[in-house]
Amino acid sequence: MIPRGSPTTDERIDFEDMTAFLALCGPKDENLKHLQARLGLEIRVRGNQVVIRSPHGEKTRLGADVLRQLYQVALMQITVGLGEMDRAIALLSADPQASLVSVLAQGSGLSGLAGKVTARSPNQRRYLEAIRLHDLVFGIGPAGTGKTYLAMASGIAALLSRQVQHIILTRPAVEAGERLGFLPGDLVEKVNPYLRPLYDALGDLLEPERGRRMLERGQIEIAPLAFMRGRTLSNCFIILDEAQNCTIEQMKMFLTRLGYHSKAVVTGDVTQTDLPPDRPSGLLHARKVLSAVPGIAMVEFDEGDVMRHPLVTDILHAYEEDRRSQGEGAEENEGG
């Protein structure tokens, strides 16, 4: 709340299309309240007019620019939620001349899914374009950047448009502090906890009944990486998730499964491997040895692509700073 009597700068914006304006405001004006809290603004709505007020002129201008640009996005019938609001704040804070329409909409939509899926950052757009143009794509970066979600959305769109006959979703069954033998149940029950994130993303992209039918018919297969050995994967879209937990041998095994008329997307975060210290990550190794191979695309995400709660970006930044400081400390000890 701005203290009474404090000098302020105001911006008044009129929005002509009420449907787009309501989408911009969000349910119970939650988007406006979020913008208000993030930038320390006072925002008031009067009919189709928004008044923005702040003691800081640059914050007032930023808030107004965010609303003007996201209104144009809403006019294109692209969902505007808290994630889009955070993304707009980050983009326009870094570059006041940035175009949210080009970032959030241009050439990045996937059709046929439960909701419209679009790229929300330049790297996400590059990623979707790489998947469209290449048979093998690596998506590498921190949690929350959309690597797995966009890969799955691309795979489902390809299946629904009959570009492929089925989708295979896989990941290594490796987690910190646990081994399959200590978990209860048969093999399927043991590996299901590791595959749960893939089921969750699938449920978000397809209507529940449709997704269930595709799983029952084998159009979508979810299996641990060990089940890929000996297979030739043709006419399908394959996603290897959490690839940082593959060994070099497992990664080579997976990549050599690729058959005709197939695409493969490998996703992972090289900073979060759960392999023992003496087992190098197959994802790190593949990034090094395959980066110059024609026909393979590697897309690197960073903190600016994180689409989860704003705290996730701050958490990632704090861990990265700690990692760097520890590295510098080790160098100083060696020098001493």
Side-chain angles (χ1 to χ4, degrees), residues 2 7-12 42 51-55 57 60-61 64:
I2 298 172
T8 62
T9 57
D10 294 5
E11 287 260 6
R12 288 174 170 79
E42 182 179 299
V51 179
I52 303 175
R53 179 172 297 161
S54 169
T60 303
R61 287 187 292 273

Side-chain angles (χ1 to χ4, degrees), residues 69-117:
Q69 292 217 34
L70 284 178
Y71 173 69
Q72 296 301 318
V73 171
L75 284 172
M76 301 177 68
Q77 298 184 341
I78 295 175
T79 300
V80 176
L82 300 184
E84 285 73 24
M85 192 66 67
D86 285 330
R87 187 63 193 160
I89 293 169
L91 277 174
L92 293 176
S93 296
D95 180 8
Q97 305 304 316
S99 170
L100 294 178
V101 170
S102 64
V103 170
L104 297 178
Q106 185 177 339
S108 59
L110 294 171
S111 60
L113 308 178
K116 187 172 183 180
V117 175

Side-chain angles (χ1 to χ4, degrees), residues 32-327:
L32 298 184
K33 293 174 183 176
H34 187 67
L35 179 64
Q36 182 173 264
R38 286 292 310 276
L39 297 183
L41 306 172
E42 182 179 299
I43 299 178
R44 296 181 181 178
V45 179
R46 300 170 180 169
N48 67 332
Q49 184 185 78
V50 170
V51 179
I52 303 175
R53 179 172 297 161
S54 169
H56 308 287
E58 68 277 7
K59 292 290 184 67
T60 303
R61 287 187 292 273
L62 175 58
D65 288 344
V66 166
L67 291 183
R68 288 191 183 100
Q69 292 217 34
L70 284 178
Y71 173 69
Q72 296 301 318
V73 171
L75 284 172
M76 301 177 68
Q77 298 184 341
I78 295 175
T79 300
V80 176
L82 300 184
E84 285 73 24
M85 192 66 67
D86 285 330
R87 187 63 193 160
I89 293 169
L91 277 174
L92 293 176
S93 296
D95 180 8
Q97 305 304 316
S99 170
L100 294 178
V101 170
S102 64
V103 170
L104 297 178
Q106 185 177 339
S108 59
L110 294 171
S111 60
L113 308 178
K116 187 172 183 180
V117 175
T118 59
R120 297 178 180 178
S121 74
N123 282 334
Q124 286 193 353
R125 191 165 68 249
R126 286 181 52 238
Y127 186 51
L128 287 176
E129 187 70 1
I131 292 173
R132 186 177 69 84
L133 296 175
H134 296 81
D135 289 338
L136 177 57
V137 176
F138 288 80
I140 302 172
T145 51
K147 306 181 301 295
T148 303
Y149 190 87
L150 291 176
M152 292 189 66
S154 298
I156 293 170
L159 178 64
L160 296 178
S161 61
R162 300 187 178 182
Q163 297 175 46
V164 296
Q165 293 179 1
H166 58 288
I167 299 171
I168 297 175
L169 311 172
T170 186
R171 61 186 294 186
V174 176
E175 298 293 341
E178 291 186 323
R179 296 182 183 275
L180 287 178
F182 293 107
L183 296 176
D186 59 21
L187 182 58
V188 174
E189 292 171 323
K190 287 176 187 289
V191 300
N192 262 341
Y194 299 97
L195 305 175
R196 187 71 254 170
L198 299 178
Y199 284 105
D200 291 342
L202 182 62
D204 194 38
L205 291 163
L206 285 173
E207 296 85 357
E209 182 60 26
R210 192 177 196 183
R212 185 183 62 78
R213 289 199 306 269
M214 287 182 167
L215 285 165
E216 289 175 350
R217 294 170 183 168
Q219 290 177 287
I220 299 175
E221 175 187 351
I222 303 179
L225 181 60
F227 284 24
M228 299 299 107
R229 188 174 298 279
R231 300 176 63 178
T232 299
L233 307 176
S234 300
N235 299 301
C236 59
F237 194 108
I238 316 113
I239 299 169
L240 171 57
D241 190 34
E242 299 289 348
Q244 74 275 3
N245 288 331
C246 292
T247 64
I248 294 174
E249 295 78 15
Q250 287 174 326
M251 178 64 74
K252 181 180 177 182
M253 178 274 290
F254 171 79
L255 295 177
T256 53
R257 300 306 93 200
L258 195 63
Y260 287 106
H261 310 297
S262 289
K263 284 182 180 285
V265 180
V266 179
T267 70
D269 179 359
V270 294
T271 68
Q272 293 196 34
T273 178
D274 294 313
L275 292 170
D278 61 337
R279 303 296 298 276
S281 169
L283 180 59
L284 268 172
H285 183 260
R287 182 171 67 173
K288 180 179 70 174
V289 302
L290 299 178
S291 59
V293 176
I296 297 177
M298 296 209 178
V299 179
E300 301 270 353
F301 295 89
D302 56 37
E303 295 172 2
D305 299 301
V306 174
M307 298 298 158
R308 293 179 181 169
H309 192 286
L311 274 177
V312 174
T313 300
D314 296 336
I315 290 168
L316 290 169
H317 182 71
Y319 273 97
E320 180 62 20
E321 286 296 314
D322 180 68
R323 186 188 66 81
R324 288 175 180 171
S325 65
Q326 288 183 5

